[in-house]
Amino acid sequence: MDDKHLIEIARKAKENAYSPYSKFKVGAALLTKNGKVYTGCNIENSSFGLSICAERVAIFKAISEGEKDFEKIVIVADTTESIRPCGACRQVMSEFGDFEIVMVSKKNEIAKSSVRKLLPFNFNGSFLEIQH
Ligand code: THU
């Protein structure tokens, strides 16, 4: 599936954002290696810390459906510069390896990177080995 189509899907998902506090809508479309697409939007809460980003919603939906091999994630917002995923989302993405991140602005400006490039030196499961 091409980026243009994924951007359209992410824009549609953005419209479902529940963001009455920030009024900032974000949409995500996560493409799996076997060609499925999982969407996400940000979902806020009156207890602000419970809010969740669009990227993590898409990833958690995919994981809950048994998918964990990802090709790319497309993120859209009505920003002047292309949107950037927050640090928490980068960490969550890094749990599932390296894949492409496509970041899109309101006027369709596109920046491309990858999980490893946006979060080098990440914390990961190898640090959890018990040291005696
Ligand atoms: N947000 C996302 O959903 N993804 C991002 O990449 C950045 C921020 C959301 C969280 C919150 O609902 C709103 O945008 C403002 O921070």
Side-chain angles (χ1 to χ4, degrees), residues 4 14 20 34 54 61 73 77 91 106 120:
K4 199 169 171 252
K14 177 172 70 68
N34 58 25
K61 280 169 71 177
I73 188 165
Q91 177 65 29
K106 185 182 176 120

Coordinates of all heavy atoms in Angstrom, one line a residue, residues 4 14 20 34 54 61 73 77 91 106 120:
K4 N 0.4 7.6 0.0 CA -0.7 8.4 -0.3 C -2.0 7.8 0.3 O -2.8 8.5 1.0 CB -0.9 8.6 -1.8 CG -1.7 9.8 -2.2 CD -1.6 10.1 -3.7 CE -2.6 11.2 -4.0 NZ -3.7 10.7 -4.8
K14 N -7.9 10.6 12.1 CA -7.7 11.8 12.9 C -9.0 12.4 13.3 O -9.2 13.0 14.4 CB -6.8 12.8 12.1 CG -6.6 14.1 12.7 CD -5.6 15.0 12.0 CE -6.2 15.5 10.7 NZ -7.3 16.5 10.7
P20 N -10.9 17.1 23.6 CA -11.6 18.4 23.9 C -10.7 19.3 24.8 O -11.0 20.5 24.9 CB -12.8 17.9 24.8 CG -12.3 16.5 25.3 CD -11.4 16.0 24.3
N34 N 2.3 -7.9 6.8 CA 1.4 -8.7 5.9 C 0.3 -7.9 5.3 O -0.7 -8.4 4.9 CB 0.9 -10.0 6.6 CG 0.2 -9.7 7.9 OD1 -0.3 -8.6 8.1 ND2 0.2 -10.6 8.8
A54 N -2.2 9.0 19.4 CA -2.7 8.2 18.2 C -1.8 7.0 17.9 O -2.3 5.9 17.6 CB -2.8 9.1 17.0
K61 N -3.8 -1.6 19.3 CA -4.9 -2.3 18.5 C -4.3 -3.4 17.7 O -4.8 -4.6 17.7 CB -5.6 -1.3 17.6 CG -6.6 -0.4 18.3 CD -7.1 0.7 17.3 CE -8.0 0.2 16.2 NZ -8.5 1.3 15.4
I73 N 4.6 3.3 10.1 CA 3.5 4.1 10.7 C 3.5 5.5 10.1 O 4.5 6.1 9.9 CB 3.6 4.1 12.3 CG1 2.4 4.7 12.9 CG2 4.9 4.9 12.7 CD1 2.2 4.4 14.4
A77 N -1.2 15.3 11.4 CA -1.8 16.3 12.3 C -1.9 17.6 11.5 O -1.2 17.8 10.5 CB -1.0 16.5 13.6
Q91 N 9.4 5.1 22.4 CA 9.8 3.9 23.2 C 8.9 2.7 23.0 O 9.4 1.6 22.8 CB 9.7 4.3 24.7 CG 10.1 3.2 25.7 CD 11.5 2.7 25.6 OE1 12.4 3.4 25.2 NE2 11.7 1.4 25.9
K106 N -0.2 19.5 7.8 CA -1.5 19.8 7.3 C -1.4 20.0 5.8 O -2.3 19.5 5.1 CB -1.9 21.2 7.9 CG -3.3 21.6 7.6 CD -3.6 23.0 8.2 CE -5.0 23.4 7.7 NZ -5.9 23.6 8.8
P120 N 17.7 6.4 19.3 CA 18.9 5.6 19.5 C 19.1 5.3 21.0 O 18.5 6.1 21.8 CB 20.0 6.4 18.9 CG 19.5 7.8 18.9 CD 18.0 7.7 18.9

